[in-house]
Amino acid sequence: MRVALASLFQESHSFSPVPGSWEHFGPREVLRGAALLAERAGTQTELGGAIAVAQAQGVTLVPLLSAMSVASAGPLDRDVFLALRDEIVARLERAGPLDGLLVVLHGGLVAEGFADASGELLRACRAAVPPGLPIVATLDLHANVTRHLVDQVDALAGYHTFPHIDLYETGQRGMRLLLAILSGTVRPATALRRLPMLLPGENGRTTDGPYAEVMALAVDLMQQPGLLDVSVFSVQPWLDVPDIGCSVVVVADGDQARAEREADRLAEAFWERRAAFAVTLTPVAEALGRALGSDQRPFILSDSADSPSSGAPGDSPAVLRALLERAPAKPCFLNIVDAPAVQAMAAAGIGQEVTVQVGARFAPVFYRPLEVTGRVRLLSDGAFRNKGQGFQGVTFYRGLTGVLQIGPVALVVMERPVFQWDPELYRSLGLEPCDAQVVVVKSPTAFRAAYGPFAAEIILLDVPGVCSPNLMSFPFRHVRRPLYPLDDGFNWRAV
């Protein structure tokens, strides 16, 4: 049995000031052919889980291409998307006889001219294979799951966790589902329910709160005989495209009517909890006062509005400015994306004092640059391997990276944004978060899996930025209305 593997993993943000380009696919993040298996086998990723299941069952894998952007951005450049789509299709057409195809996607990708770029990639793959060849896709739970996307595949499986700690298991689910289809033991019947609502990620955890309740229903439902997979998607909320919303997908074994009934019930439970996703944020001054005045440590401060994994450029100096104004006496760790600043640090050299402007390179509408003076403590090529549960074993590349010591404040300055889910962002540079009083992470929720076990307290900050959870403040122009929370008081079934 021969199964092809492909992946295009990028999450878009319609209001990001940073255009999506090749720059967002760093070194070793575009893997072709055998390199895909060599780099991803053994990692806690969807591809890692899929590879493990296939190898255990003696399946011959045909690796095509994997392209992963570790930071979100604005809609992907049309030429970049078409180049990646066309290369995957060309490799698929040259792959020889195949029995099936597994495609690993984020599902929140928008490209210039393609509001549903994930669905477009799957359409192109479907057109390139013989009629009836089974295709299964895996998706992040922030995917925008359109009818067009669902119609291109035989079945799909989405994450069940946020923070995302089940990437490997999702890959396993996807491959097992595909192999079950190939064996003829199941006949997938898929029901999709679209919900006209956008939800902030800060209260979109699956560990507690409203989303945890809905996901528990989904996971329990999936255990019932006759149901193959169940997923609930809370969508990337900053997508200004007509067909946008949360969704529920139920895959039954040969029973379309049952899949439809269960999807209706689960969607209703999701819709009923929409108001519970509202976020309470803490002013920066209040958060810093509480953190710096405490005998406990570390306080983890979430600057979710500048989260690179959500679509922000990572260049906000807002928290740094507020912290330096307080002249803290205890160790504090922060980070910022600023290529010119770290290049100036490198030119000065380790141990040298340097004055640089940091921040607001991409998003000056939200904040202004900050001039700081400090000692260049360390310089690095910026590569580090994730050790937390999300993307465990995957190497991320920040480009040239330095630590600027400003009194007790250690500022990590990097050329490229990366996911901030893992303390290795700091530890790889000799900075131990457990030794700091304040640690700033630019992530709404995914950081909790790794930081939560040792945090004295986690505080969500009220700061400006591209990824603010105040969705009402964004100039949506293309979304289909009504859409919660932009509108309220309507029945989702009537939309």
Side-chain angles (χ1 to χ4, degrees), residues 359-377:
R361 300 287 181 183
F362 299 102
V365 66
F366 293 103
Y367 26 72
R368 63 189 190 279
L370 175 64
E371 184 173 276
V372 294
T373 299
R375 177 179 59 86
V376 181
R377 173 172 167 174

Side-chain angles (χ1 to χ4, degrees), residues 95-110:
L98 294 171
D99 297 289
L101 168 65
L102 181 72
V103 185
V104 172
L105 301 168
H106 179 281
L109 175 61
V110 173

